[in-house]
Amino acid sequence: MASEILAQMQDWVAIYGPPPLRTELLAALNNARTEDGGEPGPADYWQAVAELLVAKGHLDVAREAIKRWQMLVPADHPIHAVMGGGPPPEDKPAVVAPPPPPKPEPNSRIVRVIDTTYTFLRIEPQMDKVQGKKVKSCWETFLEGNDKTSRAVLNGYDDGTYGPWAVSGVFTDFAGAAAVEVVVRSMQRHFVFTTKKDAKIRKVLGGFGLPFMTVVGVLIGYIMGVLH
């Protein structure tokens, strides 16, 4: 290994060394030793070449030799103080900052439906899954104060969508789900809980619920449209 390094140094001297000084440079390489007299290493060879070039006044070539010498010695070597700074830092992979953690979902959300504002409060999920979608959160509001019969609930799913409690199979954003839930619950309350009809009619309406009323409403609208 030492012979290979010496051969490389001799090639460098043959190419870059000033012609009048090449014999002396080769002799300096052959006589190079470590501080304790041991076998020289690359830094020792460059030191011998650099010192001779400086002593002979060939500063341009010496500067290149000193740079190579500086790159091979420890960071606390005196040559760094002379040349300014330590050896060039090793290339290190860029440190990529981890992505910021997702913002926590708020505990309350305000939605305006038609001309009324509703505040939905976050509660514990009431079920694990709905139609194969995992329920991540649940949101509750009351259409009329704290009247338990006016309770409206939304499910929040792990894919970022929301669904109204009153209508299965509807998946949309929070505002859309809230609008559907509020309107449906309002219709149910109007037809089921505030009707003045007898118990039998209330029972029928309660059994059929929204699907029946929706169909009736669509038919009435269609008939009215035809008549006009």
Side-chain angles (χ1 to χ4, degrees):
M1 182 66 179
S3 60
E4 293 179 5
I5 297 173
L6 179 58
Q8 293 173 4
M9 293 296 303
Q10 290 171 341
D11 291 341
W12 187 89
V13 169
I15 297 172
Y16 299 103
L21 201 60
R22 285 174 185 167
T23 302
E24 292 184 60
L25 289 171
L26 293 174
L29 288 174
N30 292 327
N31 296 326
R33 291 291 182 273
T34 62
E35 292 182 1
D36 57 2
E39 285 296 320
D44 302 302
Y45 286 127
W46 285 112
Q47 179 180 355
V49 169
E51 289 177 346
L52 181 57
L53 289 169
V54 171
K56 297 296 184 177
H58 295 278
L59 300 182
D60 290 340
V61 184
R63 206 170 282 115
E64 181 62 28
I66 292 172
K67 288 180 182 178
R68 302 200 180 198
W69 174 26
Q70 185 185 18
M71 292 174 64
L72 297 171
V73 297
D76 58 352
H77 194 280
I79 189 63
H80 298 309
V82 175
M83 296 298 293
E90 297 180 0
D91 291 337
K92 296 182 179 179
V95 178
V96 179
K103 293 182 179 180
E105 203 168 13
N107 291 323
S108 65
R109 300 183 70 165
I110 298 175
V111 178
R112 186 173 183 82
V113 179
I114 306 177
D115 58 352
T116 305
T117 299
Y118 299 92
T119 299
F120 283 81
L121 300 179
R122 184 170 182 165
I123 61 175
E124 289 297 319
Q126 309 295 293
M127 56 187 66
D128 293 331
K129 289 185 176 182
V130 173
Q131 296 187 353
K133 300 181 66 167
K134 182 175 177 57
V135 179
K136 181 181 178 182
S137 60
C138 203
W139 302 81
E140 176 186 66
T141 191
F142 294 96
L143 306 183
E144 295 183 11
N146 288 323
D147 182 357
K148 300 300 182 181
T149 64
S150 69
R151 183 171 181 256
V153 179
L154 308 180
N155 282 325
Y157 303 102
D158 59 353
D159 63 356
T161 62
Y162 296 85
W165 188 280
V167 184
S168 61
V170 175
F171 307 110
T172 179
D173 60 4
F174 192 94
V180 173
E181 178 71 8
V182 167
V183 171
V184 170
R185 288 301 188 193
S186 297
M187 292 174 64
Q188 287 178 335
R189 282 175 56 77
H190 175 74
F191 288 109
V192 177
F193 298 108
T194 63
T195 180
K196 299 270 177 102
K197 296 181 183 255
D198 59 37
K200 182 177 179 181
I201 295 178
R202 287 200 303 272
K203 182 177 180 181
V204 171
L205 289 174
F208 285 99
L210 177 64
F212 175 78
M213 289 304 172
T214 303
V215 172
V216 171
V218 171
L219 290 175
I220 292 175
Y222 177 77
I223 293 171
M224 295 298 292
V226 172
L227 293 177
H228 289 79

